[in-house]
Amino acid sequence: MIDFFKVSPLSKVLIKIFAKGFYKVNAGLLLFLFVTIILYCFYIEVLNQTHFEPDVIILFNLSFVLSIISSPVLVILVFAVWTVFTIKSWSYVSSQIIVPENQFLFYSSNSIDRFSQFKSWLLVQLIISIPIIVYGVFAMLIGIAFGYYLIPIVILLFAFFMACISALLYMHTINKLINPYEKTIYLNIAKNWKKPFFSLFLYHCLNNLQVTIAVTKILSFIIIIGGTYILADIQHDLRVTSVICLGIVLTHSLLIYQSNYFETTQLAFTRNFPLSSNQVYLNYLLTYLLLTLPENIWLLLNFNPFESFSLILFSTGTAMFFKSILYLIRLNMRRYLYRIFFLFLLYFIMIMFQLIWVLIPINIFISLWIYNKQYYKLEDL
C-alpha cells in the first residue's frame, strides 16, 4: 500500500518535464485568474462593510460556490470549462512528448510495466489539475456544510475521472509512437472498401485516434445522461436540450481540431481535386454527422422530428463554425481554445434568451462564407 503512494523516479522525471513546464507556460493565465478572484473577494468585502451585517459577509463571499453546487446547469458549465482546461493540458503534454530532448522517454519509460506508467502519468495530471482539485475540495466542504452532498461529490469524481483519462491518453501516445505504422484491426477489415472523401477522417480516427474518440464519446454521453436526469423537471424546455447539444459540440472540439490538422498535413493534395469549396464543406458536414451518429440517434428517438432535426442542424452548424475558425487562425491550439470557449459562453447566453433559431442560420452562413474565402488560400502557405 505504501509503494502505491511512493513517488517513483519516473514520476519525478515526468513531473519536472511536463507538470512544471505546464505551469511555467500558463503562469500568466493562472495568475490572472488568481488575481481576479482575489480582487473579487476584496470588492465584495468593501461592499458588505457598507451595506450588510458582519454575520452575512461570509454567506455573500460563498454565494458563487453555493450557486454552482446547487445548480445543475452551472455544474455543466463548470464541467465544460474544466474540459477545455484538460484539453489544453493534453495539447501541451502531447506537444512536449515529441520534442527531441524528451524522446529518451520512448526508450526508458516504456520499459516499465503499464500500471507503473499509469500511476506516474496520473500523478502528473493530478498536479496539472491542482486548480480543479482545490476548487472541487472547497466545493465539497461548502456543500457538506450547507446540505448539498451529491453535486460536490460528482465534481470531485469528474476531476479524478478526467485525470485517469488523461493518464491513459498519455500512455497510449508514448507507447504507440514506437510503431507508428502499425495498422489497426479496423483498417485491416476495411482495406478493400471504397473510401469516399468524407470518410477519410473517420478512418484516420479509427486507426490513430482511438483514445481521443473514446474520451470524446464518454464525455458526450456523460453530458447527455447528466443533462437528461439532472434537468428532468425542465426537460420540455428546448433551451435545456440546446445547451446539451452545445456541450456535445464542445466535447468534440478536439476532434474538430484534429480533422483540420489531418486535412492540412496529410490531405493537402486533395486541393487539386475537382471539388469546389462548397462540395468540401458538404463532405466535412457529412463527416461530422457520422462522427456524432449516436448523439443524433438519441435526438431523433427522444424528440419530435422538427425539434430533433433543428437540434442536429444547430449542433452540426456550430461544429462547422468551429472548424471554419481554424482556417482563419491556422493550426494554433491555444487561440482555437480561447475562441471556442468565448463562443460557448456567447451561445449559452443566446440560448437562454431563446435565440437558437438565430444561431442556426448564423452558423451555416458564416462557416460557409469562411470556407469559400479561405479554403483554397491554404495553398499559399
Side-chain angles (χ1 to χ4, degrees):
M1 186 68 180
I2 296 177
D3 291 337
F4 183 86
F5 295 100
K6 184 179 179 181
V7 179
S8 65
L10 175 61
S11 299
K12 295 178 181 178
V13 172
L14 296 180
I15 291 170
K16 183 177 181 180
I17 295 175
F18 299 105
K20 291 184 178 180
F22 178 82
Y23 281 106
K24 287 181 180 178
V25 171
N26 298 278
L29 176 62
L30 296 173
L31 182 62
F32 170 77
L33 294 176
F34 176 77
V35 171
T36 301
I37 294 174
I38 295 298
L39 291 177
Y40 170 81
C41 293
F42 276 118
Y43 174 77
I44 292 295
E45 186 71 20
V46 172
L47 181 66
N48 284 339
Q49 289 176 354
T50 307
H51 296 85
F52 299 102
E53 297 295 329
D55 57 345
V56 185
I57 293 177
I58 296 178
L59 292 178
F60 271 96
N61 287 333
L62 299 177
S63 60
F64 180 70
V65 178
L66 287 173
S67 64
I68 290 179
I69 64 178
S70 61
S71 172
V73 175
L74 289 178
V75 170
I76 294 176
L77 180 60
V78 170
F79 283 179
V81 174
W82 289 358
T83 302
V84 172
F85 179 86
T86 305
I87 292 175
K88 186 178 180 63
S89 70
W90 293 349
S91 174
Y92 174 80
V93 174
S94 298
S95 64
Q96 291 301 307
I97 286 177
I98 60 175
V99 170
E101 54 263 31
N102 294 332
Q103 289 185 0
F104 71 92
L105 293 172
F106 299 141
Y107 310 100
S108 55
S109 65
N110 294 343
S111 63
I112 303 173
D113 64 277
R114 293 298 182 92
F115 184 65
S116 298
Q117 290 184 51
F118 174 77
K119 289 192 299 180
S120 297
W121 283 114
L122 178 61
L123 182 59
V124 169
Q125 187 61 33
L126 288 174
I127 293 175
I128 290 176
S129 304
I130 283 177
I132 296 176
I133 295 172
V134 169
Y135 175 80
V137 173
F138 181 61
M140 185 180 69
L141 295 175
I142 299 301
I144 293 174
F146 288 89
Y148 298 98
Y149 303 104
L150 178 60
I151 294 181
I153 293 176
V154 171
I155 288 175
L156 274 183
L157 290 177
F158 179 79
F160 184 73
F161 170 77
M162 292 298 292
C164 291
I165 292 296
S166 302
L168 292 173
L169 177 64
Y170 302 149
M171 279 180 55
H172 175 79
T173 301
I174 202 165
N175 285 277
K176 180 176 179 297
L177 289 176
I178 296 177
N179 190 5
Y181 301 104
E182 181 182 0
K183 292 183 179 180
T184 64
I185 186 174
Y186 306 106
L187 287 191
N188 287 326
I189 294 174
K191 61 183 179 180
N192 295 322
W193 295 359
K194 292 183 177 180
K195 299 175 178 62
F197 185 77
F198 67 83
S199 68
L200 296 180
F201 178 67
L202 299 177
Y203 284 112
H204 174 69
C205 290
L206 293 176
N207 190 54
N208 299 304
L209 302 174
Q210 301 98 326
V211 175
T212 307
I213 283 282
V215 172
T216 300
K217 291 305 174 183
I218 290 173
L219 292 176
S220 181
F221 293 149
I222 288 175
I223 288 176
I224 291 174
I225 295 172
T228 301
Y229 285 95
I230 295 177
L231 305 174
D233 54 334
I234 53 175
Q235 202 174 25
H236 61 278
D237 193 337
L238 188 62
R239 291 177 297 179
V240 174
T241 314
S242 301
V243 171
I244 293 175
C245 289
L246 184 60
I248 291 173
V249 178
L250 187 68
T251 61
H252 286 79
S253 59
L254 181 59
L255 285 175
I256 295 172
Y257 178 87
Q258 289 292 341
S259 72
N260 190 268
Y261 182 85
F262 176 66
E263 173 192 343
T264 303
T265 58
Q266 301 187 43
L267 294 181
F269 64 91
T270 60
R271 292 189 177 85
N272 296 316
F273 290 176
L275 295 174
S276 67
S277 56
N278 289 337
Q279 290 175 309
V280 175
Y281 180 91
L282 291 175
N283 271 276
Y284 279 113
L285 188 146
L286 182 57
T287 299
Y288 183 78
L289 284 174
L290 294 175
L291 195 62
T292 55
L293 185 61
E295 293 84 353
N296 295 334
I297 292 175
W298 171 76
L299 289 172
L300 292 170
L301 293 177
N302 288 275
F303 301 92
N304 64 59
F306 176 75
E307 289 182 347
S308 59
F309 281 111
S310 298
L311 291 167
I312 291 173
L313 193 59
F314 165 68
S315 61
T316 306
T318 304
M320 294 303 295
F321 189 21
F322 284 4
K323 180 172 173 59
S324 66
I325 291 174
L326 289 163
Y327 289 102
L328 300 175
I329 64 175
R330 311 309 184 197
L331 297 176
N332 190 316
M333 174 67 83
R334 177 179 297 183
R335 295 172 64 188
Y336 172 66
L337 290 177
Y338 287 160
R339 280 159 178 75
I340 64 172
F341 178 63
F342 171 78
L343 287 173
F344 176 84
L345 296 178
L346 177 62
Y347 280 25
F348 182 85
I349 294 172
M350 294 181 69
I351 289 172
M352 292 298 101
F353 283 95
Q354 299 182 340
L355 295 176
I356 182 177
W357 309 113
V358 176
L359 289 173
I360 291 175
I362 286 177
N363 284 332
I364 295 175
F365 290 137
I366 294 182
S367 59
L368 190 56
W369 180 79
I370 294 175
Y371 259 81
N372 285 319
K373 292 293 184 180
Q374 298 292 327
Y375 179 72
Y376 281 106
K377 284 187 177 181
L378 293 177
E379 294 178 342
D380 301 329
L381 295 180

